[in-house]
């Protein structure tokens, strides 16, 4: 046979008609129900975690006059965890929601403004330390790519992770926060 005959035969062949539409639609509907169910389970888990953390007090309000800004940072807020446990995400009071963030460091502490999420303030007396790290609650970056601030809220120590749009700013923030934290401690404010 010549190649032209094979082409002619191939052109005449057609795929089989789909006749079982009910079966296919049933599978698609079943798959969609499964996806919705998994999403519902994830949401219930998030709510359950929030109810377990209901003993956490409300976040400190942003002061009207926090003072002169030492440093500012624009970037992302990646979440908060229990201090030292980088996978134990805190979801109460919106602390588990990732968002854009604008941080301002003053003598009064750190003001965190988050569009679309709750703004909060970390008082200078609550600051414990700052460090560069590589991960927090589901976000892993290169070594030193994340600014982690440890602070006390209620009777719990929290780690909050931030990433600046300009990562070179992180070192200055670590130094300034640790200086402010040490100055606050030496002025007689108990930890």
């Amino acid at each position: 046979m010549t190649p032209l005959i094979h082409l002619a035969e191939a052109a005449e062949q057609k795929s089989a008609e789909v006749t079982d539409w009910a079966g296919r639609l049933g599978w698609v509907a079943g798959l969609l129900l499964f996806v919705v169910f998994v999403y519902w389970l994830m949401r219930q888990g998030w709510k359950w975690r929030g109810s377990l953390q209901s003993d956490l007090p409300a976040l400190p309000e942003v002061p009207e006059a926090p003072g002169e800004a030492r440093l500012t940072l624009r970037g992302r807020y990646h979440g908060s965890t229990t201090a030292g446990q980088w996978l134990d995400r805190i979801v109460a009071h919106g602390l588990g929601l990732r968002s854009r963030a604008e941080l301002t460091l003053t003598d009064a502490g750190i003001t965190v403004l988050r569009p679309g999420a709750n703004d909060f303030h970390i008082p200078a007396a609550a600051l414990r330390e700052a460090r560069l790290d590589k991960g927090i609650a589901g976000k892993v970056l290169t070594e030193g790519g994340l600014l982690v601030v440890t602070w006390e809220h209620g009777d719990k120590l929290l780690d909050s992770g931030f990433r600046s749009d300009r990562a070179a700013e992180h070192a200055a923030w670590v130094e300034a926060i640790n200086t402010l934290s040490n100055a606050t401690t030496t002025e007689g404010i108990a930890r």
Side-chain angles (χ1 to χ4, degrees), residues 8 14 24 30 41 43 54 100 113 119 146 163 166 169 173-174 177:
K14 294 182 180 179
R24 288 182 187 249
L41 285 175
R43 185 167 169 77
S54 62
R100 294 285 304 159
L113 301 177
D119 299 337
L146 196 65
R163 178 158 175 84
R166 295 181 301 273
E169 298 176 331
W173 273 81
V174 169
I177 291 171

Side-chain angles (χ1 to χ4, degrees), residues 32-62:
L32 286 174
L33 283 173
F34 177 74
V35 169
V36 168
F37 178 68
V38 168
Y39 176 77
W40 179 80
L41 285 175
M42 290 171 35
R43 185 167 169 77
Q44 291 302 107
W46 189 268
K47 285 180 174 180
W48 176 72
R49 180 174 279 276
S51 68
L52 288 178
Q53 298 166 351
S54 62
D55 62 334
L56 200 63
L59 295 173
E61 295 287 325
V62 175

Side-chain angles (χ1 to χ4, degrees), residues 34-115:
F34 177 74
V35 169
V36 168
F37 178 68
V38 168
Y39 176 77
W40 179 80
L41 285 175
M42 290 171 35
R43 185 167 169 77
Q44 291 302 107
W46 189 268
K47 285 180 174 180
W48 176 72
R49 180 174 279 276
S51 68
L52 288 178
Q53 298 166 351
S54 62
D55 62 334
L56 200 63
L59 295 173
E61 295 287 325
V62 175
E64 290 185 28
E68 185 177 334
R70 289 184 178 194
L71 291 171
T72 60
L73 177 144
R74 286 179 175 256
R76 295 203 57 83
Y77 167 76
H78 286 290
S80 293
T81 63
T82 303
Q85 299 177 17
W86 73 286
L87 290 176
D88 185 21
R89 182 186 298 268
I90 302 295
V91 301
H93 307 297
L95 286 174
L97 300 174
R98 291 183 183 170
S99 63
R100 294 285 304 159
E102 184 175 323
L103 277 66
T104 305
L105 178 66
T106 65
D107 290 334
I110 300 173
T111 300
V112 182
L113 301 177
R114 302 186 304 156

